[in-house]
């Protein structure tokens, strides 16, 4: 369904898997036992003896539809746990959870001041931190076109995620307030406003306990590379998955060729347009490829640099963009060279590996 995060399931995402299992199980239990739902209502009118409502009311969804939509978003946003690590991903959720609690109160007071209406209850669940993840999703994940509707509406790999977020946004009367609180909190924490990333984070000892106690319970084995395409998928989805697999194989083949082949390319004939430099992926295709020039007798010693590296200089702007996404400079250079400086293919290659 979601093409931005690959098809490796919950591999290397134990926190996302734990949130999906634990929170959804609690939602189902409260649905079967409605007499206990009043204990988990997220209300802003908290007395001294009901402070625990701020904790449980902002974790467990009381509406099954909200739980389903938020679970889809958490499953899609697991890519950030793979890229940044479980501790940093947990720190982001914890920091935005704390900031959104303050933002909920401030936005409710502002709404009461402007419209003279007191907000007493808000949608329960881990809604605000989920909406806060849209900030790094918008800024760090590149948008790649998939298809078009009616010839004008472009469908990208991120469109379905935004549709699910819109569905969650319209599920309740004051869901917009929680969503706005989450977006503001995500923007503040992602930009490290007032060094919030150093103030609100998961301590190392908590990460140590989770790594050796909780992570084995929610860890997922590495999937096989020969996993077939799902039988329930539509033809368009199957075609898109096959295209992704072919793109990955093409990039891997180009990368292996650039790292193993140390022989210099034959000198092209002067006076002709160098089409092979514009289309390096089509060099050895088709029956009409140009014949190879004979090797001269007195040949210079072979260069230690790959011919693909000589013919395909990498733009520093693209390298800087991939480094800002969290990848190392070496991986960014290799991915750009392997993908012929295509930023979308390079990003997809780095996300899948």
């Amino acid at each position: 369904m979601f093409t931005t995060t690959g098809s490796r399931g919950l591999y290397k995402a134990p926190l996302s898997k734990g949130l999906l299992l634990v929170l959804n199980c609690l939602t189902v239990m409260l649905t079967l036992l409605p007499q206990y739902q009043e204990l988990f209502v997220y209300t802003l009118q908290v007395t001294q003896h009901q402070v625990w409502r701020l904790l449980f009311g902002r974790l467990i969804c009381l509406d099954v539809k909200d739980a389903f939509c938020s679970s889809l978003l958490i499953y899609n946003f697991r890519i950030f746990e793979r890229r940044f690590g479980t501790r940093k991903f947990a720190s982001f959720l914890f920091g935005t959870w704390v900031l959104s609690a303050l933002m909920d109160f401030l936005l409710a007071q502002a709404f009461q001041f402007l419209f003279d209406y007191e907000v007493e209850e808000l949608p329960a669940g881990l809604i605000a931190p989920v909406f806060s993840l849209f900030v790094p999703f918008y800024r760090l994940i590149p948008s790649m076109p998939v298809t078009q509707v009616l010839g004008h509406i472009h469908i990208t790999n991120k469109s379905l995620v935004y549709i699910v977020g819109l569905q969650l946004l319209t599920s309740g009367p004051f869901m917009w307030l929680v969503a706005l609180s989450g977006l503001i909190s995500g923007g503040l924490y992602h930009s490290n406003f007032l060094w919030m990333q150093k103030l609100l984070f998961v301590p190392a000892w908590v990460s140590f306990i989770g790594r050796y106690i909780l992570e084995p319970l929610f860890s997922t084995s590495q999937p096989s590379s020969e996993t077939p395409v799902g039988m329930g998928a539509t033809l368009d989805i199957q075609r898109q998955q096959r295209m992704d697999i072919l793109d990955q194989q093409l990039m891997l083949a180009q990368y292996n060729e650039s790292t193993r082949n140390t022989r210099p390319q034959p000198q092209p004939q002067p006076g002709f347009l160098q089409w092979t430099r514009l289309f390096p992926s089509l060099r050895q295709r088709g029956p009409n490829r140009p014949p190879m020039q004979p090797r001269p007798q007195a040949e210079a010693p072979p260069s230690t640099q790959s011919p693909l590296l000589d013919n395909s200089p990498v733009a520093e702007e693209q390298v800087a963009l991939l480094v800002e996404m969290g990848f190392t400079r070496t991986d960014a250079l290799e991915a750009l060279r392997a993908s012929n400086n295509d930023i979308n293919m390079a990003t997809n290659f780095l996300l899948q590996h």
Side-chain angles (χ1 to χ4, degrees):
M1 177 179 179
F2 301 110
T3 61
T4 58
T5 58
S7 57
R8 294 187 294 173
L10 292 168
Y11 176 63
K12 291 186 178 181
L15 179 58
S16 300
K17 183 178 180 180
L19 291 176
L20 291 176
L21 293 178
V22 175
L23 298 183
N24 287 327
C25 288
L26 293 176
T27 300
V28 173
M29 290 177 58
L30 291 178
T31 303
L32 299 176
L33 302 173
Q35 62 271 20
Y36 296 103
Q37 290 186 0
E38 295 182 358
L39 301 177
F40 299 93
V41 174
Y42 178 30
T43 175
L44 298 178
Q45 306 298 328
V46 178
T47 61
Q48 185 177 1
H49 302 284
Q50 294 181 344
V51 181
W52 50 272
R53 284 183 180 270
L54 293 177
L55 175 62
F56 295 101
R58 304 188 71 248
L59 288 177
I60 306 173
C61 287
L62 300 180
D63 190 285
V64 178
K65 183 178 64 175
D66 294 346
F68 177 75
C69 293
S70 59
S71 298
L72 287 178
L73 294 175
I74 291 175
Y75 179 79
N76 182 77
F77 293 146
R78 74 197 187 280
I79 185 176
F80 298 115
E81 183 176 1
R82 291 176 182 168
R83 181 187 298 183
F84 302 125
T86 302
R87 182 186 177 188
K88 191 172 182 180
F89 182 69
S91 299
F92 184 90
L93 293 178
F94 172 73
T96 54
W97 187 86
V98 174
L99 291 175
S100 60
L102 178 61
M103 288 296 170
D104 289 345
F105 179 78
L106 295 178
L107 291 176
Q109 294 297 321
F111 186 81
Q112 181 180 0
F113 176 78
L114 294 175
F115 301 99
D116 195 18
Y117 184 87
E118 185 178 3
V119 180
E120 296 181 356
E121 294 183 5
L122 291 175
L126 198 70
I127 305 297
V130 169
F131 274 103
S132 67
L133 289 169
F134 274 100
V135 176
F137 180 76
Y138 174 78
R139 299 189 60 183
L140 300 181
I141 303 300
S143 178
M144 293 179 289
V146 177
T147 184
Q148 290 184 358
V149 178
L150 301 177
H152 300 283
I153 303 176
H154 296 274
I155 303 298
T156 66
N157 57 329
K158 301 166 67 174
S159 298
L160 290 177
V161 183
Y162 291 132
I163 292 176
V164 175
L166 182 61
Q167 176 65 33
L168 182 60
L169 178 64
T170 58
S171 63
F174 285 101
M175 184 65 73
W176 64 269
L177 192 147
V178 181
L180 181 60
S181 173
L183 293 176
I184 295 176
S185 303
L188 294 177
Y189 194 88
H190 182 72
S191 61
N192 198 17
F193 181 72
L194 296 179
W195 300 279
M196 290 184 179
Q197 295 182 6
K198 296 182 179 180
L199 299 177
L200 302 174
F201 62 93
V202 175
W205 62 271
V206 176
S207 177
F208 179 83
I209 294 175
R211 181 181 305 171
Y212 291 98
I213 297 180
L214 298 180
E215 185 173 353
L217 299 176
F218 301 107
S219 60
T220 303
S221 59
Q222 184 176 4
S224 174
S225 59
E226 299 179 356
T227 301
V229 178
M231 296 299 296
T234 62
L235 294 178
D236 292 337
I237 297 178
Q238 293 179 7
R239 189 180 300 109
Q240 180 64 31
Q241 291 178 349
R242 294 191 188 98
M243 291 175 60
D244 294 339
I245 295 175
L246 291 176
D247 290 339
Q248 294 178 15
Q249 293 176 353
L250 177 61
M251 287 188 292
L252 287 176
Q254 291 178 350
Y255 173 74
N256 293 331
E257 180 185 0
S258 65
T259 54
R260 290 199 302 262
N261 186 14
T262 57
R263 293 177 300 176
Q265 293 286 343
Q267 297 295 329
Q269 296 180 0
F272 290 92
L273 184 62
Q274 304 298 322
W275 292 102
T276 57
R277 299 185 63 183
L278 300 178
F279 304 100
S281 61
L282 304 177
R283 289 175 183 173
Q284 305 298 331
R285 296 184 182 180
N288 297 325
R289 58 178 180 267
M292 300 293 292
Q293 296 294 327
R295 185 184 300 272
Q297 295 296 330
E299 183 181 0
S303 175
T304 58
Q305 190 176 7
S306 174
L308 184 61
L309 303 182
D310 293 336
N311 295 336
S312 300
V314 177
E316 288 297 330
E317 295 81 1
Q318 297 178 346
V319 177
L321 180 60
L322 292 176
V323 171
E324 291 178 358
M325 292 182 184
F327 304 109
T328 62
R329 180 178 177 84
T330 303
D331 295 340
L333 289 172
E334 293 178 355
L336 287 171
R337 289 163 180 164
S339 61
N340 193 26
N341 296 329
D342 192 320
I343 185 65
N344 292 329
M345 294 182 62
T347 306
N348 189 23
F349 176 78
L350 290 173
L351 291 177
Q352 297 293 339
H353 298 80

